Amino acid sequence: MIGALASYSGNADYQKINDRIGLIISANSADELTLFDIQATYADSLTRSVTNFPTAISDDGVIAAWGSSPYRQEVFTKEGEDDKTVFVRDWTSRGLVISPSGKRVTLEPGFDTYGGTSMVTDIVQLDSGNYIAVGSSSVSIPENSQESYDDNCDGIDELVSVCSWQLQRGSFYNTEAFQWELDNNLDVVGSQSLGLGIVREDDEKGAFNSLALATNKNGIAVGYSIVRNTDDDRIYAYEQAGYFKDGEFNRIHAHETYIQGGKAIDINNSDIVIGNYYEQGTSFNGQLVVRKQVGFYYDINSKTYEEIPAFFTGSKVTVRDINDKGQVVGQGEIEKKYFITEIRSILIRSGC
């Protein structure tokens, strides 16, 4: 049944089901973490129609997460036709922080026309007791998206909310890396965009995006952004790794070709950044594949970039986290057989 409903995920006539839940895991138990789901009006349970992404936890136990709003039933009436029940929701995603005592604070987007979108990927507590949470937020609507909305969402053949939901399943908003500051009671005291790695030209009408994936106590966030090649002004096909400081996106490693991309994954309090750099290629049957993937670390203060050694030439490495001792954890291929068998292990490097 879940598989059948999943095949109709883009059709508002069908109930929506998401089979993944959030968890709070302790030494002795794993308890469900409900973000935005509510009791269904059409079933004796939660709607189970939401996404749930717990992403980080601060040293004192504040959880950062993001998820979608639950679907609800609405009736659409069209002249000359029978009433039709459809499933709609209010917004695609919202960031959320949860205190150890259970207080919940939604991190609203900076721009919320037609619902807006926000997500939170990391949270740290500052020495002052305040918190910084980072992620992304909708900041505006690009011209192409607004034109699509104006041309299609007139409420004649379907509810405006259904039309808006369908458009927002794609890249509807301009989104930028975003930061929220909260006091020690988790009340939001400020928010701001962290920047974008590109300046829009007059003829560029599509959505531009950047995202912060982690931050440190110094207020420097890391992540990725769409960027432009400074040699010919063309936009790179893949996101570029960088850090956000003083309202600007700073690229970590200048890419030489359009098949290259990267993401900065984490940063410690010594301003050491780790991330993943990759190159896309085409397989023998024409499919897009990752033909190179390496981990890197970057010292913001000395502007030193270095790839993390792999187990063998061509071994794909994925880094995940770095602590204040400079230890990095992730996965690395240690063996490859017949081009398809891969054995992965944890990779640790000290003294970055």
Side-chain angles (χ1 to χ4, degrees), residues 198-205 208 228 233:
I198 192 170
V199 176
R200 184 183 297 274
E201 301 289 348
D202 292 340
D203 61 345
E204 293 172 338
K205 301 179 180 181
F208 285 174
R228 196 187 307 278
D233 285 340

Side-chain angles (χ1 to χ4, degrees), residues 17-39:
I17 295 293
N18 194 301
D19 61 349
R20 298 183 181 182
I21 64 174
L23 291 174
I24 299 178
I25 302 172
S26 68
N28 302 311
S29 65
D31 300 313
E32 181 176 359
L33 175 63
T34 302
L35 301 182
F36 296 107
D37 209 356
I38 59 174
Q39 178 68 36

Side-chain angles (χ1 to χ4, degrees), residues 100-334:
S101 65
K103 180 178 180 179
R104 293 168 170 252
V105 177
T106 300
L107 302 182
E108 299 291 347
F111 177 89
D112 63 0
T113 299
Y114 312 136
T117 179
S118 68
M119 59 186 292
V120 58
T121 55
D122 195 21
I123 186 168
V124 296
Q125 187 176 29
L126 306 177
D127 293 337
S128 65
N130 284 9
Y131 299 86
I132 289 178
V134 298
S136 73
S137 168
S138 49
V139 295
S140 62
I141 299 175
E143 187 173 339
N144 283 350
S145 296
Q146 189 62 62
E147 289 178 354
S148 294
Y149 185 94
D150 294 341
D151 291 343
N152 295 285
C153 299
D154 54 14
I156 296 176
D157 294 318
E158 62 185 354
L159 289 173
V160 171
S161 56
V162 170
C163 177
S164 179
W165 163 71
Q166 290 175 330
L167 290 177
Q168 291 186 44
R169 284 169 54 83
S171 297
F172 184 79
Y173 292 102
N174 292 313
T175 62
E176 295 183 7
F178 213 77
Q179 174 184 292
W180 295 263
E181 184 174 359
L182 305 96
D183 64 20
N184 57 8
N185 292 316
L186 290 189
D187 296 319
V188 177
V189 296
S191 62
Q192 62 179 330
S193 169
L194 295 177
L196 184 70
I198 192 170
V199 176
R200 184 183 297 274
E201 301 289 348
D202 292 340
D203 61 345
E204 293 172 338
K205 301 179 180 181
F208 285 174
N209 310 104
S210 64
L211 172 65
L213 292 174
T215 189
N216 65 7
K217 289 186 176 182
N218 303 322
I220 302 176
V222 299
Y224 57 88
S225 175
I226 182 174
V227 301
R228 196 187 307 278
N229 188 327
T230 55
D231 293 333
D232 59 16
D233 285 340
R234 291 170 58 194
I235 296 175
Y236 281 107
Y238 305 109
E239 61 273 353
Q240 309 287 291
Y243 62 94
F244 302 89
K245 184 178 180 182
D246 299 328
E248 295 183 354
F249 176 76
N250 302 272
R251 294 173 63 186
I252 286 176
H253 179 56
H255 294 179
E256 300 172 353
T257 71
Y258 289 90
I259 65 172
Q260 299 170 326
K263 297 180 180 180
I265 302 298
D266 197 18
I267 181 172
N268 67 13
N269 290 314
S270 297
D271 298 340
I272 305 296
V273 182
I274 63 164
N276 300 306
Y277 161 83
Y278 61 86
E279 292 183 2
Q280 298 278 24
T282 304
S283 67
F284 66 91
N285 60 0
Q287 293 184 333
L288 196 65
V289 296
V290 176
R291 68 183 189 188
K292 177 181 180 179
Q293 181 171 309
V294 299
F296 69 80
Y297 67 90
Y298 179 78
D299 187 329
I300 292 177
N301 298 311
S302 66
K303 301 188 183 305
T304 303
Y305 173 89
E306 190 170 338
E307 290 186 2
I308 294 176
F311 288 103
F312 59 88
T313 300
S315 170
K316 293 184 176 68
V317 173
T318 301
V319 296
R320 301 291 186 185
D321 197 28
I322 183 172
N323 64 15
D324 285 338
K325 294 180 180 180
Q327 296 172 318
V328 180
V329 295
Q331 294 84 41
E333 293 177 348
I334 61 171

